[in-house]
Amino acid sequence: MVSQAARALTDDTGPPTFEDFYAAHFQRLSLQLFAYTGDFGQAQDVVQEAFCRALPRWEKVSRYDDPLSWLRKVAWNLATSRFRRLRVQQAHARRQREEHVDGPGPDRVALARALATLPERQRRAVILYHLADLSIAQIAEQEDVAEGTVKSWLHRGRTALAAQLTDA
């Protein structure tokens, strides 16, 4: 069954009117885009947007060899752009999600408390050596002291930590 609008498009009376073209192709193009997007509402939206873009240029578009091809390409490009924007939005939303991390365990709390009791230089030396993996020479250079001084800080800091962290 061919609708009146589709029959009007095949007449040799010149380019079809926009209204006839819309009536003949909106539903079929929406179904094609539905198969692509998987969402009938979104498919109708992009087809409607494609028709909206065709309307102000209808004098030119209607004279194309295949105005439906132009309209289909615009609609598919709009759908593809929506997919890309959605993918970017989802990636952004995933990065913005609040990560729930378990609180520190008892060992970590005890270590943090013990480190807080050390004098600043000893604490810094222990952290730089054990957590930042800096060598004694690198720590000495950073702190602008002799390597022997760093060794002394490390020895005193470790001794103090061992005393606080041993199980009674």
Side-chain angles (χ1 to χ4, degrees):
M1 290 175 49
V2 178
S3 69
Q4 279 186 332
R7 252 188 257 114
L9 292 176
T10 59
D11 292 347
D12 291 330
T13 59
T17 65
F18 182 80
E19 292 80 12
D20 290 340
F21 188 76
Y22 181 90
H25 298 292
F26 179 80
Q27 189 65 26
R28 192 166 50 139
L29 198 53
S30 293
L31 290 173
Q32 292 169 15
L33 271 290
F34 169 60
Y36 178 57
T37 63
D39 180 337
F40 193 66
Q42 185 179 16
Q44 287 180 319
D45 285 349
V46 295
V47 171
Q48 187 68 38
E49 178 65 25
F51 274 107
C52 287
R53 291 184 183 194
L55 181 59
R57 323 176 160 78
W58 187 244
E59 287 297 316
K60 182 178 179 181
V61 170
S62 66
R63 287 179 171 56
Y64 288 163
D65 289 338
D66 189 3
L68 180 59
S69 177
W70 181 90
L71 189 73
R72 184 182 302 109
K73 183 172 179 85
V74 170
W76 280 73
N77 287 345
L78 288 167
T80 301
S81 293
R82 280 191 180 194
F83 277 141
R84 287 184 186 137
R85 274 194 312 274
L86 181 61
R87 214 175 22 232
V88 167
Q89 289 171 348
Q90 288 172 340
H92 178 72
R94 277 192 300 275
R95 287 191 307 269
Q96 300 305 314
R97 279 196 190 129
E98 192 173 306
E99 295 277 336
H100 295 287
V101 179
D102 292 335
D107 292 342
R108 179 175 269 189
V109 171
L111 178 60
R113 284 187 182 144
L115 281 169
T117 65
L118 295 178
E120 182 182 344
R121 290 182 175 177
Q122 290 176 19
R123 181 173 57 242
R124 191 167 37 225
V126 168
I127 291 170
L128 291 174
Y129 186 79
H130 291 285
L131 297 179
D133 290 328
L134 295 182
S135 68
I136 291 174
Q138 291 172 318
I139 297 170
E141 184 179 325
Q142 179 177 321
E143 298 297 315
D144 197 26
V145 296
E147 288 183 29
T149 304
V150 173
K151 289 178 185 178
S152 173
W153 290 343
L154 282 171
H155 176 72
R156 290 180 187 151
R158 288 184 205 146
T159 302
L161 286 174
Q164 291 184 46
L165 296 175
T166 55
D167 291 330

